[in-house]
Amino acid sequence: MIEMKKVFKLYSNGVTALNGVDASISQGDFVYVVGPSGAGKTSFIKMMYREELPSKGQVYINGVELSSLKHKEIPFLRRDVGVIFQDFKLLPRKTVYENVAFALEVIEENPRKIRRRVMDVLDKVGIKHKARFIPAQLSGGEQQRVSIARAIINNPKLVIADEPTGNLDPDTSWEIMKIFDEINSSGTTVIMATHSKDIVNQMKKRVIAMENGQIVRDEQRGEYGYEA
Ligand code: ADP
Ligand code: ADP
């Protein structure tokens, strides 16, 4: 589903964040991306939803080369990819319900269907009972549940998460990780940059380790492999 061929990313400040990355990820994979800060993890995953373009090399999603997408085609890619961040990025003045419904880009869908879809997804991530709350009234773990709901509302084939448990305590991180595991069980590809060493070591998923803009390790049922 995702192919990267000799991908380089050179930012305008002269930093080389990706230094010849080759990667291949299949539909249904669950991949942890690990490595020290500054290794290139965020840049690597930004390539997959065209948040950044490679300076050199190619990124393909289901055979489509992302650099070749026209501007008006980008929303169609984004609809197939759900993205989750460490800091949730919820709209502060909207309720939980509105934050999730907002992302439902269905045209000609009747309001009752939208309502059912939003409530289904809120139920799936365990936050349905707080549909009328605003983000400031929720704990960090609850806010992350909402942002996961928002990311999966369009049934994306790919879910990308950049340190989704970075602001959460260990117990809450585990709860969030279980939700990602369930999403993956239904066939959705999950790619997650993380520093959660214990979780990576216990989950025994594929691990891609990065250092200095390169993939230095790629193991099925891998381990975190760093001290912190
Ligand atoms: P990681 O997620 O592993 O911490 P990043 O991909 O965020 O790594 O960063 C890799 C390198 O690229 C770092 O040196 C970082 O400072 C630099 N970098 C990241 N984003 C930008 C940017 N938008 N402009 C300039 N440099 C950047
Ligand atoms: P945690 O300790 O896990 O971060 P909090 O102490 O922030 O959680 O919140 C505990 C519970 O109280 C959560 O379910 C949250 O939704 C609810 N809560 C927190 N602040 C408010 C508020 N201002 N209004 C309504 N509910 C709130």
Side-chain angles (χ1 to χ4, degrees):
M1 131 175 265
I2 303 169
E3 290 287 337
M4 288 200 195
K5 300 211 157 113
K6 299 261 177 304
V7 169
F8 289 79
K9 181 65 189 181
L10 175 70
Y11 288 111
S12 51
N13 59 354
V15 172
T16 299
L18 297 176
N19 196 1
V21 169
D22 288 296
S24 177
I25 293 168
S26 302
Q27 182 66 48
D29 279 1
F30 192 122
V31 184
Y32 287 121
V33 182
V34 306
S37 289
K41 303 181 295 296
T42 298
S43 300
F44 177 59
I45 63 182
K46 278 181 172 173
M47 295 289 141
M48 301 174 192
Y49 59 105
R50 208 184 187 276
E51 178 66 19
E52 294 283 355
L53 286 170
S55 314
K56 219 166 86 182
Q58 293 85 38
V59 180
Y60 299 86
I61 306 273
N62 294 324
V64 176
E65 207 242 305
L66 297 191
S67 296
S68 73
L69 284 180
K70 297 194 179 73
H71 248 280
K72 62 179 183 203
E73 295 171 322
I74 295 172
F76 292 95
L77 166 77
R78 297 265 166 86
R79 208 166 297 173
D80 261 346
V81 183
V83 188
I84 293 138
F85 304 96
Q86 179 172 2
D87 60 355
F88 324 126
K89 299 200 193 297
L90 299 173
L91 299 166
R93 291 174 202 287
K94 291 191 183 287
T95 65
V96 165
Y97 181 93
E98 289 163 348
N99 263 281
V100 176
F102 189 76
L104 192 59
E105 297 167 289
V106 271
I107 326 115
E108 296 171 50
E109 194 67 287
N110 73 52
R112 203 186 312 146
K113 270 194 188 160
I114 291 178
R115 177 154 186 93
R116 193 188 316 138
R117 175 76 190 135
V118 172
M119 293 315 279
D120 276 355
V121 136
L122 290 178
D123 194 29
K124 194 170 176 180
V125 302
I127 199 73
K128 191 169 124 185
H129 57 297
K130 300 226 165 133
R132 292 172 184 277
F133 287 54
I134 60 164
Q137 295 172 320
L138 303 179
S139 69
E142 290 173 328
Q143 291 186 60
Q144 196 55 296
R145 287 172 193 266
V146 178
S147 97
I148 295 171
R150 179 184 58 187
I152 63 173
I153 190 76
N154 283 313
N155 275 319
K157 296 186 194 75
L158 170 62
V159 166
I160 296 170
D162 196 350
E163 293 197 43
T165 59
N167 286 335
L168 307 177
D169 61 65
D171 286 347
T172 307
S173 298
W174 271 110
E175 288 170 17
I176 295 299
M177 203 56 70
K178 271 186 229 147
I179 298 173
F180 282 105
D181 205 27
E182 281 161 22
I183 291 169
N184 176 247
S185 300
S186 61
T188 305
T189 309
V190 175
I191 299 171
M192 184 185 302
T194 186
H195 287 285
S196 295
K197 181 182 179 193
D198 294 343
I199 291 179
V200 171
N201 286 342
Q202 287 188 54
M203 293 289 280
K204 305 256 185 306
K205 305 283 192 189
R206 180 173 171 189
V207 173
I208 290 178
M210 300 192 69
E211 282 172 34
N212 302 316
Q214 295 186 315
I215 294 178
V216 294
R217 178 159 58 88
D218 183 351
E219 296 171 335
Q220 305 294 330
R221 298 176 62 81
E223 299 241 328
Y224 188 78
Y226 297 94
E227 272 322 303

